[in-house]
Amino acid sequence: MQFMLLFSRQGKLRLQKWYVPLSDKERKKISRDLVQTILARKPKMCSFLEWRDLKIVYKRYASLYFCCAVEDQDNELITLEIIHRYVELLDKYFGSVCELDIIFNFEKAYFILDEFLLGGEAQETSKKNVLKAIEQADLLQEVSSFAVDRFSAH
Amino acid sequence: MSDVVEKTLTALPSLLSLDSQPGSAKLSSTSKLGNLIRGITELTSKHEEEKLIQCELSSIKEQVSSPNTTMMKELMVRTIYCEMLGYEASFSYIHAIKLAQQGSVLEKRVGYLAVSLFLNESHELLLLLVNTVLKDLQSTNLIEVCMALTVVSQMFPKDMIPAILPLVEEKLNHPKEIIRRKAVLALYKFYLIAPNQVQHIHNKFRKALCDKDPGVMTASLHIYLQMIQENPEGYKDLTASFVTILKQVVGGKLPMDFNYHSVPAPWLQIQLLRILSLLGKNDQSTSEIMHEVLDESLRRAEMNHNITYAILYECVKCVYTIHPKSELLEKAAKCIGNFVLSPKINLKYLGLKALTYVVQQDPKLALQHQMTIIECLDHPDLIIKRETLELLFRITNAQNVTVIVEKMLEFLRISKDDHTTIDLVGKVAELAEKYPSNHYTYAPDNEWFIETMNTVFSVGGDMMQPDIPNSFLKLLSEGFDSVEEDRKLRLFAVNSYISLLRGEPGKLPQRFLQVISWVLGEYSHLRADLEPALVLRLLAKLLDMKNCSSETKSWVLTAMTKLCEGGSGVSVAQQVSETYGSSLDTVLRQRAQELQHLSQDSELRARVLPRGAGLDRSLTYCHNLVQVDSSLSFLDGFVSEALAAGAAPYKPPHQRQEELAGTKALSLEPYGLSLPISMSSCITDRQSPTLLSMSSGLSATLKLDGVKRVWGREGYLSQKEPVEEPAQVEVPSPLRSPSQQGEADSFHSQTPSLTPTPESDQEKQQLASSLFVGLGSQSSVCLMGKSEPTTQRFRRKAKGHSTASSTSEQVSNSVISPPSTVDNLLCNNLLDSNITSELAVSSPQLTSRLSQGLAATNGTCDTDTELPESDRKESKPAVIRDSYVVAADPAPHEDPDRPKDLALSSHLPAELSELSHSEITHLCTNQNLELSVCHVQKEDSLLLIVFISNSSDSAVQQILVCLFSGVLFGEEAFTCWCDVVGIVSLLISRVCCRPLTVSTEEYGTMWLAFSHDTKQNLTLISDGQEPLTATLNVLKRRLQLHVVEIIGMEGIVACRLLQDQPCLMHCRVHAGTLAVWLRSPIPDLPDCLIYHCQRALQGH
């Protein structure tokens, strides 16, 4: 996967993760272009797009669009499922996720994403395991020194 | 599950408006980030937002710099938010790194996150992170190790990999699987950015593949997929393992954790299928190992869920990629059918994609789904339409090309995406050139071709690939088989362009205008009723247009120069040349000057631009008369004078740029002090300024001049018939007989219709029959896209094959087929034709006569002669003067250990035995005779010695040798030399060259004296030494050239064929290649030598 973007129906970027080295300017141009293109598409249309030499896979969940760019030979359907699994993870973590959760806790959303996808490849597809890893790290945040000991001993 | 998610998300708008709603959002809404976010949502204009963020950023900036901030984590999160909104906060990057380095564990986490979001691989600040990562990798805290590995797998400076590689490797043995998994992914990242850095740990990858944790194993597959993509051969031994893994996965042997919507480990399955398809491609035995598991996968994936379709799709691709098995193909085809017919649009799209992928192998599949395809062609979603066109592109043949191209053009007119336009325009042009007319139906023809190209040019505009207009003009100028057809096509083009210019030329793209002006300049005289003055006026109108680029203007002026002739045309030309004669653009000024002079001097014009010379085939003989002096040696005197008068020596553009860039110091004194300045300038500048300006109009943008030379010393050159035309393979396109056609039609009408209304249905049927014509019959496979043999009428003619390369073909032929070699060797102009010797016609006859002879006697009776030195033309310095045919008689029971060479060399004539001879090369054998050859270099000639030896047990009484030669050796026939080289020298490549020992001064004088020159780039060899010296040494060794002198980055080299047939080489290292200029009094020698140089360097 080359990058992943989350944006709202109003075109506001909520999350962006780039797995290929691009300059700031290019990133901005790409996300602007894509947000425009995708928002212009009608609901019943295909979830896949050819864009430059990339394949864009996107899906809308309520007011949020999840959009991934993969290479041409990659499997579009499995990419769609990656998006879906990510939404499931967010949902489980936040408990009925909504856009506001992602806005206000976007760093958490990033942590989950990093635990799920690493370097653009699915790293851990088990919902349970991803959340376990996140919770362990989160635990540190609550009672840090105690948790470190406990987790290390674990 | 997804329903639940969607429901909760749907409730969101209400949440947005009411902040007091319960939920996790409420917790953070009191934080500073919360305030910021709410502040932004309340704003109405972009401008206000900007102000707010700038204010926010400056306050953050202030706080992060204070020494003891406890808010760092919070500040960093806010900065990330601002960056995401598109505001730069580069001041914070260094603080992010600091936070990752110094913070507590939870601060570290945010620090690492900020680093991975702010920086990219090439950012210089990333170097500062290396130490932190090193420290964390060694930490005893698992979380810290995890964080370090996570950031490393996302980005790491390439050069610093060795610093942390041992630590990451170590982690492969870590007891926790999550650490092992992340370590594998980090290594994958390293492999992607610097494969050679991890070369030595390939065995560790294997270990990861065998890890007891399926997650770690899955991670290692990423590396394997990559490695197998690059080198499938190296991993065939793993096929069975991959198959076993897949079998276990499909069989549900993995822990439930890996299930996704009750499908076992789909990501793993897809990864394995991709690997298998790479391994099984073009490999029957490997493919057979995987047939069973593929069948199993196809069978198991039954559930109606996206994830099973994802697996099925990958499976189908795999089945069609590996060595085919009919059973599997059948099932896969059915799957594709399900995809195509699915009401779900995503699946339909993938179905089309799969069809596109397989249609080359299985065109019938497209026939089966033709009605669906037709429907998709009218689909409101452009992406579906686009994919359908892609599919149609692959099934295009001579019969359906018009319809398909029409559909593509239709799409082009509505598409707004540049990338798509460029791609499609290229495809249309490709199809149009491939099937410009149909020999059978006569439906698409010249008109269609020109009109299609017109659309391509106007729609593609200035975005399209520049080779489209180039090849179009090339096709137009080279023409095809029939002169009359060519004339018609060109005439049609002229008519079409005239009417375009009469319309609204302002709307046409620049590239199109350039094409138009070139065509009108060349061919408008074909239309007898067209006044040149009229064309001139139309062209002149283009010059006045505001948006006409200066490049286009120079095309137009060139065209006008070709057309201005007598009458009112001259006055138009004069007017134009006056306007542009003082243009600031030097190219335009040059053009205008040419126009002015040539329009006034009709005699000169007639010489420079002979009427119709570009076209008339009967004038081809002109070519032999016109000699191109590309070195412009006639200007040498002028140049020397100017230099003597103190003018600066000319420097070619690349040299000037070098000088400006100051990257390389220019050697200002090329060949020592003794060399006259004028000479040095001539050596370095093969391309004199005049030549540049003459050709720039055409060659600067359209590389036409690489194809043929348009201008010569005698003026405009008529079109040259290529010396050698590739054998035309006429593969008739499989036209259906009427009965077949009928069958096809009836087949179409049997297809169940999917649309209710009869009229539209009928329309679609019609469309279907026109689209899918020519598919499905046995022979149609050859019609499919790429594998198409040459039914092209616009065959690209072979680029002026150098004689040398054609010779090599000849030789390779002769090497392959021994029987014909004898013919070739004897029949080709190996030896002087006026050798009057015995005759035989060809080897079969030779053999038969031999056997007769053998039957007759049975004694040891070695015969025939050493041929007397043939009567030769004394006056000519022949490359090969003397021909010896030595009939040797190896004793019938020869000692097998005795080297043949020795045996043969003892038969060399006495007067030659003292001279060194080359290795004796064996040419060919039949059951009775062996033919070998070697050469001896005498001072004034090259002797070819052909050994004919009896390889049978019986004695030979009489050998009849016949030597054919079509061409006389000597000064006029270089081809002859070349042919000899073809036979002999390519086998012994250095045969004909000898070193020419000259001093630098002598070299200088000779360089000036010769005119023919050639320029070529050669690859440099670098094996430790300085590349120039290394390369020249190879040439010296292989081709026996004499290296006269090497100064800095330049070197001069000399060699000769015979006494007075030298060839001089001037080499210069430039931009990683060796630019070589060659001069020689023998016209073709440089070309030939360059060819040998290339071979010598390749072979090195």
Side-chain angles (χ1 to χ4, degrees):
Chain A
M1 188 181 294
Q2 305 240 337
F3 57 84
M4 186 182 214
L5 300 175
L6 257 73
F7 53 90
S8 70
R9 215 168 35 177
Q10 289 78 32
K12 279 245 188 294
L13 210 53
R14 294 302 180 207
L15 213 68
Q16 52 172 343
K17 189 82 193 178
W18 302 83
Y19 297 109
V20 284
L22 288 171
S23 75
D24 224 36
K25 217 172 128 195
E26 285 168 300
R27 289 180 180 186
K28 274 181 195 154
K29 184 174 179 343
I30 291 173
S31 30
R32 206 174 39 236
D33 276 12
L34 273 181
V35 167
Q36 247 174 28
T37 320
I38 291 175
L39 287 179
R41 290 177 64 82
K42 296 192 181 72
K44 289 286 168 209
M45 281 185 169
C46 191
S47 300
F48 315 131
L49 263 186
E50 270 161 42
W51 186 79
R52 299 201 194 162
D53 52 345
L54 292 178
K55 186 77 70 177
I56 306 294
V57 178
Y58 74 93
K59 182 151 184 175
R60 182 178 159 185
Y61 287 91
S63 59
L64 266 189
Y65 284 88
F66 291 71
C67 150
C68 294
V70 293
E71 271 136 65
D72 193 51
Q73 71 269 18
D74 283 333
N75 190 315
E76 291 91 344
L77 279 179
I78 199 83
T79 313
L80 214 49
E81 292 314 297
I82 283 184
I83 294 178
H84 189 72
R85 169 66 22 133
Y86 183 46
V87 174
E88 283 178 350
L89 284 168
L90 291 172
D91 194 58
K92 184 102 181 248
Y93 180 80
F94 289 106
S96 302
V97 70
C98 65
E99 190 184 345
L100 284 185
D101 290 325
I102 295 171
I103 296 173
F104 285 105
N105 300 290
F106 67 91
E107 83 274 17
K108 298 261 169 59
Y110 274 124
F111 292 141
I112 297 173
L113 186 62
D114 280 349
E115 211 51 51
F116 172 49
L117 295 178
L118 192 49
E121 306 286 351
Q123 175 200 184
E124 172 60 87
T125 52
S126 150
K127 229 189 304 190
K128 202 177 79 191
N129 290 345
V130 173
L131 293 177
K132 199 169 83 190
I134 295 290
E135 271 155 21
Q136 278 169 346
D138 277 353
L139 222 52
L140 290 170
Q141 221 143 349
E142 311 291 319
V143 267
S144 82
S145 62
F146 172 63
V148 172
D149 296 342
R150 210 184 58 164
F151 183 61
S152 305
H154 192 55
Chain B
M1 183 71 223
S2 62
D3 293 341
V4 177
V5 179
E6 284 187 37
K7 249 177 233 161
T8 44
L9 282 174
T10 329
L12 211 133
S14 57
L15 280 175
L16 263 173
S17 52
L18 296 168
D19 270 344
S20 57
Q21 278 282 333
S24 53
K26 199 186 164 195
L27 274 175
S28 29
S29 59
T30 50
S31 69
K32 288 200 173 158
L33 174 71
N35 287 334
L36 172 67
I37 294 168
R38 255 175 304 132
I40 292 171
T41 44
E42 277 160 18
L43 298 176
T44 45
S45 76
K46 185 80 188 159
H47 180 68
E48 281 177 333
E49 182 188 296
E50 214 164 288
K51 242 167 59 183
L52 183 78
I53 301 278
Q54 289 310 344
C55 174
E56 182 79 16
L57 281 177
S58 56
S59 105
I60 293 175
K61 196 171 181 176
E62 213 169 273
Q63 291 181 58
V64 287
S65 315
S66 69
N68 284 323
T69 177
T70 48
M71 302 284 291
M72 273 307 276
K73 190 163 73 80
E74 208 278 326
L75 288 173
M76 204 45 72
V77 170
R78 265 193 287 162
T79 324
I80 298 176
Y81 191 81
C82 294
E83 275 253 329
M84 185 160 64
L85 290 177
Y87 298 91
E88 199 200 90
S90 51
F91 68 86
S92 64
Y93 298 171
I94 186 72
H95 295 288
I97 289 178
K98 235 160 71 185
L99 192 64
Q101 195 165 20
Q102 296 163 351
S104 66
V105 182
L106 29 146
E107 284 176 328
K108 230 180 215 320
R109 196 182 181 201
V110 176
Y112 272 130
L113 175 68
V115 169
S116 72
L117 291 173
F118 291 158
L119 308 182
N120 66 34
E121 234 151 59
S122 45
H123 203 287
E124 50 192 358
L125 279 180
L126 212 51
L127 280 177
L128 296 176
L129 197 71
V130 176
N131 247 330
T132 316
V133 168
L134 261 176
K135 203 181 79 197
D136 285 339
L137 280 178
Q138 288 164 301
S139 161
T140 50
N141 186 340
L142 288 186
I143 303 269
E144 282 182 345
V145 179
C146 277
M147 286 191 293
L149 284 173
T150 304
V151 83
V152 163
S153 326
Q154 294 183 61
M155 55 173 63
F156 201 72
K158 204 185 332 193
D159 311 329
M160 298 310 285
I161 291 176
I164 59 159
L165 189 58
L167 283 173
V168 176
E169 271 178 70
E170 200 179 276
K171 296 288 179 271
L172 291 175
N173 298 320
H174 200 276
K176 280 270 172 201
E177 64 270 6
I178 184 170
I179 304 279
R180 294 205 300 275
R181 199 178 60 214
K182 282 181 195 269
V184 170
L185 283 169
L187 290 178
Y188 169 60
K189 177 73 182 178
F190 295 166
Y191 183 82
L192 287 181
I193 56 178
N196 49 340
Q197 305 262 32
V198 290
Q199 208 104 57
H200 60 287
I201 50 170
H202 279 198
N203 58 331
K204 300 230 162 130
F205 297 157
R206 283 209 184 211
K207 200 162 156 269
L209 183 65
C210 305
D211 199 285
K212 61 181 190 292
D213 181 69
V216 182
M217 184 266 290
T218 311
S220 76
L221 290 183
H222 294 305
I223 304 181
Y224 276 100
L225 180 67
Q226 201 66 34
M227 294 196 298
I228 292 170
Q229 227 156 24
E230 282 152 25
N231 170 29
E233 292 309 316
Y235 300 91
K236 298 273 182 187
D237 57 320
L238 286 175
T239 314
S241 317
F242 292 131
V243 167
T244 318
I245 300 172
L246 185 56
K247 241 180 227 164
Q248 288 176 348
V249 176
V250 174
K253 301 280 196 309
L254 286 192
M256 287 294 279
D257 272 355
F258 290 91
N259 281 10
Y260 176 83
H261 294 263
S262 63
V263 174
W267 279 273
L268 177 54
Q269 285 196 43
I270 282 173
Q271 198 77 355
L272 284 167
L273 285 169
R274 289 182 70 184
I275 289 178
L276 289 183
S277 67
L278 289 173
L279 286 171
K281 193 173 186 183
N282 304 325
D283 184 342
Q284 186 171 4
S285 57
T286 311
S287 300
E288 274 161 8
I289 307 176
M290 50 188 87
H291 281 154
E292 192 194 324
V293 75
L294 288 176
D295 191 49
E296 175 91 4
S297 298
L298 282 175
R299 208 154 39 80
R300 290 255 181 176
E302 281 160 343
M303 207 179 52
N304 182 16
H305 187 282
N306 262 348
I307 197 73
T308 47
Y309 288 121
I311 296 171
L312 272 180
Y313 177 70
E314 210 60 47
C315 230
V316 166
K317 258 171 86 175
C318 183
V319 167
Y320 272 97
T321 311
I322 64 170
H323 188 85
K325 188 188 181 203
S326 57
E327 241 173 86
L328 281 177
L329 287 179
E330 222 169 87
K331 284 184 187 169
K334 222 176 107 192
C335 269
I336 295 182
N338 288 341
F339 274 93
V340 173
L341 296 174
S342 165
K344 288 185 183 166
I345 188 161
N346 290 345
L347 295 187
K348 205 183 255 315
Y349 171 79
L350 285 181
L352 287 170
K353 210 177 140 187
L355 261 185
T356 313
Y357 187 73
V358 306
V359 80
Q360 254 146 333
Q361 286 181 50
D362 193 358
K364 282 198 217 97
L365 211 53
L367 266 185
Q368 268 173 36
H369 298 295
Q370 47 177 320
M371 289 319 284
T372 320
I373 295 173
I374 301 280
E375 266 167 22
C376 290
L377 210 47
D378 289 330
H379 202 282
D381 193 347
L382 285 188
I383 188 89
I384 300 276
K385 238 178 164 165
R386 174 84 180 75
E387 195 57 42
T388 316
L389 288 177
E390 192 69 40
L391 171 62
L392 291 178
F393 172 71
R394 305 273 174 112
I395 59 165
T396 311
N397 56 40
Q399 284 145 288
N400 60 17
V401 63
T402 356
V403 195
I404 289 178
V405 163
E406 183 51 44
K407 287 283 165 194
M408 288 170 114
L409 291 178
E410 229 170 67
F411 186 87
L412 268 176
R413 288 185 196 108
I414 51 171
S415 159
K416 289 183 196 81
D417 178 43
D418 290 356
H419 203 268
T420 317
T421 309
I422 293 170
D423 183 57
L424 263 187
V425 155
K427 284 187 170 139
V428 172
E430 189 186 325
L431 290 179
E433 285 177 13
K434 208 163 170 184
Y435 310 101
S437 77
N438 188 318
H439 293 276
Y440 301 94
T441 62
Y442 297 101
D445 56 10
N446 292 337
E447 280 169 52
W448 175 80
F449 176 63
I450 295 291
E451 266 159 19
T452 304
M453 290 312 285
N454 282 354
T455 324
V456 164
F457 288 135
S458 14
V459 176
D462 298 321
M463 285 188 296
M464 69 183 156
Q465 303 289 348
D467 61 327
I468 296 174
N470 287 357
S471 55
F472 173 70
L473 292 188
K474 202 176 143 200
L475 291 175
L476 211 58
S477 63
E478 285 183 351
F480 357 96
D481 309 328
S482 117
V483 177
E484 181 53 26
E485 284 280 291
D486 293 352
R487 204 187 65 83
K488 273 190 196 156
L489 177 67
R490 289 166 187 156
L491 188 61
F492 189 83
V494 168
N495 285 338
S496 154
Y497 295 159
I498 290 285
S499 60
L500 275 173
L501 288 190
R502 280 185 172 141
E504 279 186 274
K507 285 181 180 166
L508 302 176
Q510 300 297 311
R511 288 254 177 79
F512 195 13
L513 290 177
Q514 291 162 12
V515 167
I516 289 177
S517 39
W518 190 85
V519 171
L520 288 182
E522 286 294 311
Y523 302 120
S524 65
H525 64 86
L526 288 177
R527 206 174 123 179
D529 61 332
L530 198 63
E531 277 284 307
L534 177 80
V535 183
L536 278 176
R537 267 191 291 272
L538 283 173
L539 287 172
K541 223 166 67 184
L542 292 181
L543 292 172
D544 298 334
M545 279 170 7
K546 264 194 215 112
N547 55 357
C548 185
S549 72
S550 65
E551 192 190 328
T552 310
K553 280 180 186 162
S554 96
W555 281 75
V556 173
L557 286 174
T558 311
M560 292 178 81
T561 316
K562 291 177 194 163
L563 291 171
C564 63
E565 138 185 30
S568 54
V570 176
S571 65
V572 179
Q574 286 299 331
Q575 206 180 342
V576 167
S577 59
E578 262 164 44
T579 320
Y580 290 93
S582 53
S583 166
L584 284 179
D585 188 318
T586 46
V587 178
L588 282 186
R589 200 149 72 198
Q590 166 83 22
R591 296 271 162 273
Q593 294 294 345
E594 283 170 17
L595 176 60
Q596 180 162 30
H597 287 291
L598 293 179
S599 64
Q600 278 169 347
D601 189 341
S602 60
E603 198 183 313
L604 179 65
R605 205 189 138 276
R607 267 176 53 208
V608 176
L609 303 160
R611 185 67 188 268
L615 188 74
D616 197 341
R617 293 284 169 117
S618 62
L619 284 178
T620 10
Y621 69 92
C622 282
H623 278 287
N624 305 329
L625 306 177
V626 174
Q627 275 196 329
V628 182
D629 181 10
S630 57
S631 68
L632 304 177
S633 58
F634 53 89
L635 286 174
D636 286 348
F638 173 76
V639 172
S640 325
E641 256 173 51
L643 287 169
Y650 171 74
K651 289 179 198 118
H654 63 87
Q655 211 172 346
R656 268 176 271 166
Q657 270 163 10
E658 261 172 43
E659 239 176 13
L660 281 177
T663 45
K664 285 180 198 160
L666 183 74
S667 62
L668 290 166
E669 293 163 303
Y671 297 113
L673 297 167
S674 53
L675 202 65
I677 306 169
S678 59
M679 196 224 105
S680 71
S681 74
C682 283
I683 291 175
T684 45
D685 64 305
R686 191 186 85 76
Q687 288 201 311
S688 77
T690 350
L691 178 67
L692 273 180
S693 74
M694 287 289 270
S695 59
S696 62
L698 287 171
S699 66
T701 48
L702 295 189
K703 291 167 192 140
L704 284 168
D705 284 286
V707 181
K708 56 168 193 165
R709 284 181 171 146
V710 184
W711 292 85
R713 189 155 41 181
E714 310 291 294
Y716 192 74
L717 299 181
S718 57
Q719 203 182 328
K720 194 165 188 170
E721 194 96 52
V723 181
E724 179 199 33
E725 199 159 324
Q728 188 187 351
V729 191
E730 271 297 339
V731 180
S733 78
L735 179 75
R736 288 163 165 231
S737 66
S739 65
Q740 275 175 315
Q741 189 74 52
E743 273 165 38
D745 287 340
S746 66
F747 175 73
H748 296 149
S749 52
Q750 277 161 18
T751 318
S753 104
L754 295 169
T755 38
T757 47
E759 297 102 46
S760 74
D761 186 38
Q762 208 177 4
E763 252 172 49
K764 281 182 181 171
Q765 295 286 1
Q766 265 174 5
L767 184 57
S769 55
S770 54
L771 275 177
F772 296 94
V773 62
L775 284 182
S777 64
Q778 279 301 319
S779 55
S780 66
V781 181
C782 73
L783 272 178
M784 311 313 297
K786 288 171 194 161
S787 57
E788 171 116 16
T790 42
T791 45
Q792 300 183 22
R793 187 166 138 218
F794 283 0
R795 283 182 330 280
R796 309 270 160 129
K797 292 188 177 164
K799 285 181 197 164
H801 260 304
S802 75
T803 350
S805 70
S806 64
T807 327
S808 80
E809 281 163 30
Q810 188 184 345
V811 167
S812 62
N813 281 339
S814 58
V815 170
I816 296 161
S817 55
S820 68
T821 323
V822 182
D823 298 358
N824 273 351
L825 186 68
L826 295 176
C827 297
N828 281 335
N829 4 342
L830 175 61
L831 299 168
D832 218 347
S833 65
N834 47 7
I835 294 173
T836 46
S837 57
E838 298 84 340
L839 66 104
V841 184
S842 64
S843 67
Q845 279 185 26
L846 184 71
T847 324
S848 66
R849 289 187 189 205
L850 273 173
S851 45
Q852 281 168 15
L854 289 172
T857 36
N858 206 3
T860 38
C861 177
D862 60 330
T863 38
D864 250 83
T865 36
E866 183 183 318
L867 294 174
E869 284 199 15
S870 50
D871 34 1
R872 60 195 185 226
K873 295 190 178 174
E874 297 287 352
S875 57
K876 293 179 179 172
V879 178
I880 297 175
R881 271 198 181 160
D882 310 312
S883 312
Y884 287 89
V885 175
V886 178
D889 63 329
H893 305 288
E894 198 182 328
D895 179 6
D897 296 334
R898 195 176 155 209
K900 267 244 169 74
D901 194 2
L902 218 65
L904 289 172
S905 61
S906 65
H907 289 274
L908 279 173
E911 81 242 43
L912 296 179
S913 54
E914 283 157 32
L915 294 166
S916 67
H917 65 86
S918 72
E919 199 181 306
I920 297 174
T921 312
H922 184 73
L923 283 180
C924 60
T925 313
N926 68 14
Q927 47 186 352
N928 293 316
L929 279 185
E930 255 181 73
L931 211 52
S932 306
V933 70
C934 80
H935 70 273
V936 174
Q937 286 191 346
K938 284 175 81 173
E939 188 45 44
D940 60 341
S941 61
L942 178 78
L943 305 185
L944 265 187
I945 299 155
V946 180
F947 297 89
I948 302 175
S949 49
N950 178 4
S951 61
S952 69
D953 287 347
S954 25
V956 180
Q957 198 173 38
Q958 200 181 10
I959 295 180
L960 299 171
V961 180
C962 169
L963 299 163
F964 287 90
S965 174
V967 192
L968 290 177
F969 289 128
E971 81 257 295
E972 99 281 12
F974 176 75
T975 34
C976 183
W977 180 80
C978 219
D979 279 344
V980 173
V981 173
I983 293 162
V984 183
S985 174
L986 289 184
L987 297 169
I988 333 154
S989 68
R990 60 185 164 198
V991 82
C992 287
C993 279
R994 309 161 186 218
L996 173 64
T997 324
V998 287
S999 69
T1000 309
E1001 293 95 282
E1002 283 164 358
Y1003 181 97
T1005 338
M1006 285 165 81
W1007 182 270
L1008 276 185
F1010 303 152
S1011 57
H1012 297 285
D1013 70 1
T1014 308
K1015 191 200 166 208
Q1016 185 80 30
N1017 285 337
L1018 295 175
T1019 42
L1020 274 172
I1021 287 177
S1022 52
D1023 44 3
Q1025 307 179 51
E1026 202 272 312
L1028 178 64
T1029 324
T1031 314
L1032 291 185
N1033 280 342
V1034 169
L1035 293 179
K1036 184 180 171 185
R1037 208 172 57 239
R1038 303 285 285 268
L1039 298 172
Q1040 303 194 350
L1041 308 178
H1042 172 65
V1043 180
V1044 182
E1045 196 168 354
I1046 297 179
I1047 307 167
M1049 301 311 267
E1050 301 186 43
I1052 51 179
V1053 176
C1055 71
R1056 67 192 170 104
L1057 265 188
L1058 283 178
Q1059 207 80 52
D1060 42 6
Q1061 301 176 337
C1063 182
L1064 304 180
M1065 250 168 104
H1066 168 238
C1067 318
R1068 180 186 161 78
V1069 178
H1070 176 63
T1073 58
L1074 188 68
V1076 180
W1077 291 265
L1078 294 110
R1079 284 191 175 189
S1080 167
I1082 304 172
D1084 290 328
L1085 185 54
D1087 283 330
C1088 195
L1089 189 66
I1090 210 81
Y1091 170 73
H1092 282 287
C1093 289
Q1094 277 165 346
R1095 276 179 59 105
L1097 292 175
Q1098 261 166 24
H1100 180 75

